[in-house]
Amino acid sequence: MAALSTASRVLAKKVLSAKALPAVSQSSRKLHFSVYGKNNSKVSDGISTQYPVVDHEFDAVVVGAGGAGLRAAFGLSEAGFNTACVTKLFPTRSHTVAAQGGINAALGNMEGDDWRWHFYDTVKGSDWLGDQDAIHYMTEQAPHAVVELENFGMPFSRTEDGKIYQRAFGGQSLKFGKGGQAHRCCCVADRTGHSLLHTLYGRSLRYDTSYFVEYFALDLLMEDGECKGVIALCMEDGSIHRFRSKNTVIATGGYGRTYFSCTSAHTSTGDGNAMVTRAGLPCQDLEFVQFHPTGIYGAGCLITEGCRGEGGILINSEGERFMERYAPNAKDLASRDVVSRSITIEIREGRGCGPEKDHAYLQLHHLPPQQLATRLPGISETAMIFAGVDVTKEPIPVLPTVHYNMGGIPTNYRGQVITHTPEEGDKVVPGLFACGEAACASVHGANRLGANSLLDLVVFGRACAHTIADICTPGEKLSPLKTNAGEESVANLDKLRFADGNMRTSEIRVNMQKTMQNHAAVFRTGKVLKEGCDKMDAVYQTLDDIKTFDRGIVWNTDLVETLELQNLMLNAVQTINSAEQRQESRGAHSREDFKDRMDELDYAKPLAGQVRKPFEEHWRKHTLSTVDPKTGKVTLKYRPVIDNSLDAEDCAAIPPAIRSY
Amino acid sequence: LSPRSHASMEQCSAIANAMVASAFFATAAALAPEPRIKHFQIYHWDPDTTGDKPRICGPIVLDALINIKNEMDPTLTFRHSCICGTCAMNINGGNTLASLNKLDINTSKPIKSYPLPHMYVKDLVPAMNNFYAQYKSIEPFLNKRDESQEGKEQYHQTVEEYIFCACCSTSCPSYWWNGDQYLGPAVLMQAYCWLIESRDEFTEDRPSKDPFSLPLLPGGSEVLEYIEKVSNTMWQQTE
């Protein structure tokens, strides 16, 4: 070990002494291929002489280049704004690429359809925690969004007569739930996300957006409650960059990696949520974590709901199609939280499959092999690689796995980030926007329907671009920024880079993941959650004792993973504390000690004569959580749900009702 | 070259022995004054060795790399995310994805892992900027006159699972030596796909339509034709 650290100190010294020069100058940038070049950049040492900072000015900055980020970025470029897209991953590596199932839209290609039925399904799917104005906006825009994607070049699967093929998907019905299963999920075989992201990336190359790829966004630059940009670390050469802008859009995705077993990418670390938290702003509804019913047992890889849409069924150890008992109408295509709970109950009651009786089976071999090959080729391959199963002969072993975060940065239906006080209600944070999984508009409420996320990305990515175009003009002068803005972020970076405690990053990370997995899973109880909160707090404190090994500044993934761990922790403490406080069961948040939904009225009984409960005494409200990053202490407040649609005449709002499938 | 041995050999006998020398920067933006070469060898370990710490390791090479980074050498640098093509590297002489390459459980053979040839940045991370720029140059987007309606045509004729892994281009010696002029197989294949895209309405204006605009293999203009033929044949076979 001694030899190791000496060598690494020698190497680090070499890199550091070379770094005494300004990190970047225009001339050295030109010596390698840099499509994502830096225009109008100046070097300043306003922060620290050890970390010279490059300043950029743009009309708009988008953080994240997945489905939502790309759509926002090129939407802004198309509207004439000088736009930067800052992303820690090359765009086609974003987690959108892994989405399989499809994108919902009431095109009516398979049977008569109406976007108001899709609206109803989404409101019901959210267990009446979704904001109906945002849901109205999304479902009405859906057909237009899909046609737009098709015109961008997305190769949707087709029916015999050349129309876009739409498959059945969970929670989708006709005639406000009374007309049977709807087929409105437009798809590209079972690789819709891959196709969508590649199409968006190709399209984005038409515009002159400046991409800053493999730049890790550290923090927002906030001044007087206004967002003035973002500070980021360039992974390639370790330089620090401040992107000053009047408009910042956060599209950084979810935080599945707080859990030990998840379908998410290694890079799903909730960076945007954490940046907002450190800026003192709240996150919303983080306790609502979606467990996808069918992740491959052991590996955690996703098997799309589209399998069940094409006719696949879930069976227990007795060979029974058990969903018929839990959801007599929708059966295997009930909403995801219902299916996840059903599988968990079956396992708990002893009817699990396999030698340990700890998972269920997803059976596809009763479907024609031709259909499997055309419509589900990707999962056929995934099942073979990760479970060793031939789907034409054997069932796939599956288990509910963490998949999506309904919660995130609270926004209005136009994509503007908001805060809330009881006196003034919702208030926009100037200069800050959010879209995609990182945001909480909230279209998904307490539970997201399958194939609504890809829709969410493109609709709200575009909405952010439109809103910015409405309230700003390109080329507007930027307000001044303090010369040392972002200093804290760089100090944190430096501290982590030379951290010399006792616990390595991977150790602390696994402690956090195991705590979350054991204490905040599909079914939650007060006692177990409380224990989890205490354990998470203890794990949070160990961040002070962290040890990193790579002292360099170039492509230092040890440092980046540690920054990501800081971000994950902030998400984890808010998630588990919010869950512990919420004493009801709603959507994906299931309490064994509080099994019912606690609304302002009891919707299981006739409403006449009932007295409306005051805001403090019911739970049909959004959670707003904030954290003191120094101590890890979480503070919770609440915000009312928006119950009216954008236009009552065009689309009547849906009053709450009992949710059954 | 100054190799440093991994001292965790004592703890786990045959376990991964990362030999890290230094990094070679392909780009001149690096401020390190001298070029440094990086080698990386992983030796697979035997999970049955007594006294060994229990390891959670899945069946693929990427799991091994992650395990090494977590528990032995956090300075090990490589790209990985999800099924996206970013973990491309050279494993035992062949370019492949670490996330799809099954670990060979024969403990007598080492697994040699190198970055994609001729594109080094640090450890197992290749510099992809040139590759992406070349992709951009062929205009990989659909051009239609009227974008207001749902298209009525058949889905487009292409390899739908394309992932920008660059494994093919970086296996090609011509790309190693003339990467700044030759587009390479990956980008040429994409150019071809956009040329035959039946929904594209401005095919004549595509840069790749002009045979003299595409930097082809120096000395071998038949390459594009050959790639077209290969793609055509493969496509016909899947019909």
Side-chain angles (χ1 to χ4, degrees):
Chain A
M1 265 314 176
L4 178 65
S5 25
T6 315
S8 102
R9 268 202 301 275
V10 167
L11 281 174
K13 258 212 201 113
K14 284 209 159 92
V15 176
L16 270 182
S17 58
K19 287 305 263 182
L21 302 167
V24 174
S25 64
Q26 279 296 81
S27 54
S28 69
R29 274 289 139 207
K30 287 205 180 78
L31 288 173
H32 72 113
F33 284 97
S34 167
V35 189
Y36 319 111
K38 301 168 183 37
N39 45 9
N40 65 40
S41 40
K42 317 182 277 289
V43 180
S44 82
D45 48 8
I47 291 185
S48 146
T49 47
Q50 273 192 303
Y51 294 92
V53 170
V54 180
D55 275 339
H56 309 261
E57 289 184 8
F58 286 93
D59 293 326
V61 174
V62 177
V63 184
L70 280 182
R71 186 64 191 84
F74 75 70
L76 286 163
S77 293
E78 199 175 22
F81 289 86
N82 186 15
T83 311
C85 183
V86 175
T87 164
K88 70 179 180 183
L89 297 174
F90 181 71
T92 63
R93 319 294 182 199
S94 304
H95 198 41
T96 309
V97 84
Q100 297 171 350
I103 174 169
N104 286 330
L107 289 171
N109 286 348
M110 310 298 278
E111 69 246 319
D113 204 354
D114 187 333
W115 65 263
R116 294 165 191 83
W117 302 340
H118 183 193
F119 168 78
Y120 166 80
D121 289 331
T122 307
V123 172
K124 176 180 171 189
S126 77
D127 219 348
W128 280 277
L129 199 71
D131 294 319
Q132 296 199 25
D133 59 347
I135 297 177
H136 174 163
Y137 183 74
M138 185 179 80
T139 50
E140 188 178 12
Q141 291 288 317
H144 172 92
V146 169
V147 171
E148 185 183 67
L149 284 170
E150 208 269 329
N151 279 292
F152 287 165
M154 191 160 161
F156 284 103
S157 296
R158 301 284 174 163
T159 57
E160 296 281 307
D161 37 328
K163 292 199 185 150
I164 292 177
Y165 170 69
Q166 296 180 277
R167 58 159 62 115
F169 229 70
Q172 302 292 331
S173 69
L174 300 165
K175 299 201 176 83
F176 303 103
K178 302 188 182 63
Q181 179 71 40
H183 297 78
R184 64 171 74 102
C185 170
C186 312
C187 57
V188 178
D190 59 354
R191 300 180 273 261
T192 317
H194 175 271
S195 189
L196 182 129
L197 192 58
H198 280 251
T199 304
L200 285 179
Y201 177 63
R203 177 75 179 194
S204 73
L205 296 176
R206 264 176 102 155
Y207 305 97
D208 59 356
T209 315
S210 306
Y211 286 94
F212 292 86
V213 176
E214 288 172 344
Y215 280 68
F216 187 89
L218 298 168
D219 274 301
L220 299 173
L221 298 171
M222 303 286 294
E223 223 166 83
D224 306 320
E226 188 182 330
C227 183
K228 298 195 174 180
V230 161
I231 182 168
L233 166 74
C234 171
M235 288 166 64
E236 192 183 352
D237 63 9
S239 52
I240 307 288
H241 293 256
R242 289 193 300 204
F243 296 89
R244 292 183 55 199
S245 162
K246 205 157 182 279
N247 305 289
T248 305
V249 181
I250 299 182
T252 49
Y255 58 95
R257 285 280 149 179
T258 43
Y259 282 78
F260 189 70
S261 175
C262 62
T263 65
S264 316
H266 293 278
T267 43
S268 293
T269 52
D271 301 327
N273 293 3
M275 286 179 2
V276 156
T277 303
R278 281 192 291 266
L281 297 167
C283 286
Q284 181 170 274
D285 294 342
L286 291 191
E287 64 268 42
F288 296 101
V289 176
Q290 182 168 76
F291 285 78
H292 192 286
T294 53
I296 291 188
Y297 171 67
C301 305
L302 180 69
I303 296 290
T304 176
E305 193 165 304
C307 293
R308 288 172 279 136
E310 296 290 337
I313 58 177
L314 288 163
I315 54 177
N316 59 17
S317 57
E318 291 164 14
E320 180 205 357
R321 185 183 182 182
F322 57 85
M323 283 311 301
E324 284 179 346
R325 276 186 282 123
Y326 295 93
N329 293 324
K331 306 193 183 72
D332 300 86
L333 282 174
S335 197
R336 285 180 182 175
D337 52 336
V338 172
V339 184
S340 290
R341 280 194 285 273
S342 310
I343 297 177
T344 312
I345 293 173
E346 287 295 298
I347 294 170
R348 217 198 294 177
E349 292 181 357
R351 290 185 291 278
C353 308
E356 318 252 336
K357 293 182 163 310
D358 58 354
H359 55 270
Y361 279 145
L362 176 61
Q363 180 181 297
L364 296 172
H365 53 80
H366 59 284
L367 300 171
Q370 175 64 7
Q371 186 187 3
L372 288 175
T374 339
R375 304 292 185 208
L376 300 172
I379 56 99
S380 302
E381 211 182 304
T382 308
M384 178 51 82
I385 295 175
F386 293 101
V389 155
D390 177 355
V391 297
T392 56
K393 300 195 179 71
E394 313 153 87
I396 312 173
V398 294
L399 193 63
T401 313
V402 169
H403 177 63
Y404 184 83
N405 301 105
M406 271 70 76
I409 305 167
T411 70
N412 57 21
Y413 79 94
R414 305 186 71 196
Q416 298 170 297
V417 172
I418 53 176
T419 51
H420 178 87
T421 50
E423 307 80 41
E424 294 176 64
D426 289 341
K427 222 166 90 154
V428 167
V429 175
L432 193 57
F433 300 77
C435 54
E437 191 175 347
C440 186
S442 161
V443 281
H444 310 302
N447 169 68
R448 173 174 76 77
L449 293 181
N452 266 359
S453 181
L454 290 181
L455 179 61
D456 176 9
L457 306 184
V458 291
V459 167
F460 288 98
R462 186 166 154 271
C464 283
H466 277 255
T467 308
I468 292 174
D470 280 343
I471 61 182
C472 292
T473 44
E476 273 179 41
K477 198 162 162 2
L478 295 178
S479 59
L481 185 69
K482 283 208 208 61
T483 39
N484 66 342
E487 189 173 35
E488 270 183 34
S489 315
V490 179
N492 180 50
L493 185 90
D494 188 67
K495 183 183 85 173
L496 291 180
R497 185 173 152 212
F498 295 104
D500 199 18
N502 294 297
M503 297 182 77
R504 23 174 103 214
T505 305
S506 55
E507 214 179 316
I508 302 181
R509 188 171 56 220
V510 119
N511 289 345
M512 169 194 69
Q513 290 173 334
K514 292 211 156 130
T515 308
M516 294 299 287
Q517 193 76 37
N518 292 333
H519 294 268
V522 175
F523 282 107
R524 303 163 169 183
T525 16
K527 185 163 158 295
V528 175
L529 283 170
K530 187 82 190 70
E531 237 176 66
C533 290
D534 295 335
K535 277 200 186 147
M536 263 315 303
D537 184 54
V539 176
Y540 190 91
Q541 306 308 327
T542 61
L543 276 177
D544 291 332
D545 194 25
I546 201 164
K547 183 177 176 58
T548 51
F549 292 79
D550 195 341
R551 301 294 183 224
I553 195 65
V554 172
W555 258 100
N556 187 341
T557 49
D558 191 15
L559 175 62
V560 169
E561 286 197 3
T562 310
L563 290 165
E564 288 175 340
L565 178 62
Q566 280 188 327
N567 294 341
L568 283 171
M569 286 286 217
L570 287 173
N571 283 284
V573 295
Q574 290 179 72
T575 302
I576 200 164
N577 277 279
S578 309
E580 198 263 326
Q581 281 296 310
R582 184 172 281 268
Q583 293 180 337
E584 64 152 1
S585 289
R586 183 183 298 270
H589 176 69
S590 229
R591 289 281 297 250
E592 308 221 61
D593 45 349
F594 293 96
K595 287 193 199 295
D596 297 316
R597 221 170 63 189
M598 181 85 72
D599 301 318
E600 67 278 21
L601 293 167
D602 186 348
Y603 291 97
K605 302 195 174 75
L607 299 180
Q610 285 196 42
V611 176
R612 204 165 270 269
K613 289 201 184 77
F615 188 69
E616 299 73 31
E617 288 179 30
H618 71 87
W619 281 102
R620 202 165 73 83
K621 52 196 184 188
H622 293 297
T623 308
L624 290 175
S625 50
T626 44
V627 187
D628 175 1
K630 291 189 186 54
T631 58
K633 181 162 171 354
V634 177
T635 312
L636 298 175
K637 292 195 170 59
Y638 296 91
R639 174 184 161 245
V641 176
I642 296 176
D643 286 323
N644 49 280
S645 69
L646 288 174
D647 181 342
E649 277 183 32
D650 193 23
C651 170
I654 315 283
I658 287 304
R659 182 169 168 255
S660 68
Y661 287 96
Chain B
L1 298 183
S2 48
R4 62 179 176 179
S5 284
H6 226 288
S8 48
M9 284 280 280
E10 305 104 72
Q11 288 197 328
C12 24
S13 47
I15 295 235
N17 177 3
M19 288 207 357
V20 168
S22 50
F24 173 67
F25 300 113
T27 69
L31 298 162
E34 72 280 343
R36 297 170 281 171
I37 311 286
K38 173 83 145 201
H39 286 288
F40 179 70
Q41 283 186 314
I42 331 171
Y43 286 85
H44 181 54
W45 64 85
D46 181 357
D48 294 329
T49 306
T50 50
D52 186 19
K53 283 198 289 193
R55 308 232 169 241
I56 303 164
C57 176
I60 52 180
V61 173
L62 182 62
D63 289 325
L65 292 175
I66 291 174
N67 210 298
I68 292 169
K69 184 179 177 66
N70 284 348
E71 299 184 21
M72 283 169 243
D73 183 2
T75 68
L76 175 59
T77 308
F78 52 96
R79 287 195 181 104
H80 65 292
S81 182
C82 54
I83 46 157
C84 56
T86 201
C87 59
M89 60 182 70
N90 186 295
I91 298 176
N92 287 335
N95 287 350
T96 179
L97 298 179
S99 57
L100 291 182
N101 194 288
K102 267 194 145 73
L103 273 175
D104 180 1
I105 56 172
N106 180 343
T107 55
S108 63
K109 291 195 297 192
I111 295 178
K112 294 189 187 170
S113 185
Y114 294 85
L116 292 178
H118 281 247
M119 293 179 43
Y120 308 131
V121 174
K122 175 179 173 178
D123 284 12
L124 298 169
V125 171
M128 300 285 284
N129 294 349
N130 183 29
F131 181 78
Y132 297 144
Q134 289 170 329
Y135 179 70
K136 181 171 178 170
S137 71
I138 57 140
E139 295 188 5
F141 40 79
L142 191 65
N143 295 313
K144 289 180 83 168
R145 293 205 171 84
D146 174 14
E147 293 188 343
S148 63
Q149 302 298 322
E150 176 183 331
K152 307 237 180 313
E153 292 200 74
Q154 180 89 32
Y155 62 160
H156 83 306
Q157 299 82 353
T158 188
V159 176
E160 284 182 16
E161 295 179 37
Y162 184 64
I163 54 173
F164 294 100
C165 67
C167 285
C168 62
S169 289
T170 55
S171 310
C172 173
S174 294
Y175 192 72
W176 296 345
W177 303 319
N178 299 297
D180 52 337
Q181 296 164 51
Y182 172 44
L183 288 182
V187 173
L188 284 177
M189 181 186 70
Q190 287 295 309
Y192 170 68
C193 291
W194 285 105
L195 280 175
I196 61 167
E197 162 64 71
S198 53
R199 298 172 302 167
D200 193 62
E201 289 169 356
F202 291 87
T203 316
E204 291 305 313
D205 301 334
R206 291 198 159 271
S208 32
K209 195 75 173 153
D210 170 7
F212 297 106
S213 72
L214 270 195
L216 298 175
L217 183 61
S221 58
E222 304 93 43
V223 171
L224 180 57
E225 199 187 308
Y226 189 67
I227 291 177
E228 275 184 61
K229 286 195 175 130
V230 167
S231 299
N232 239 341
T233 316
M234 281 168 58
W235 219 74
Q236 277 159 12
Q237 282 175 356
T238 58
E239 292 247 76

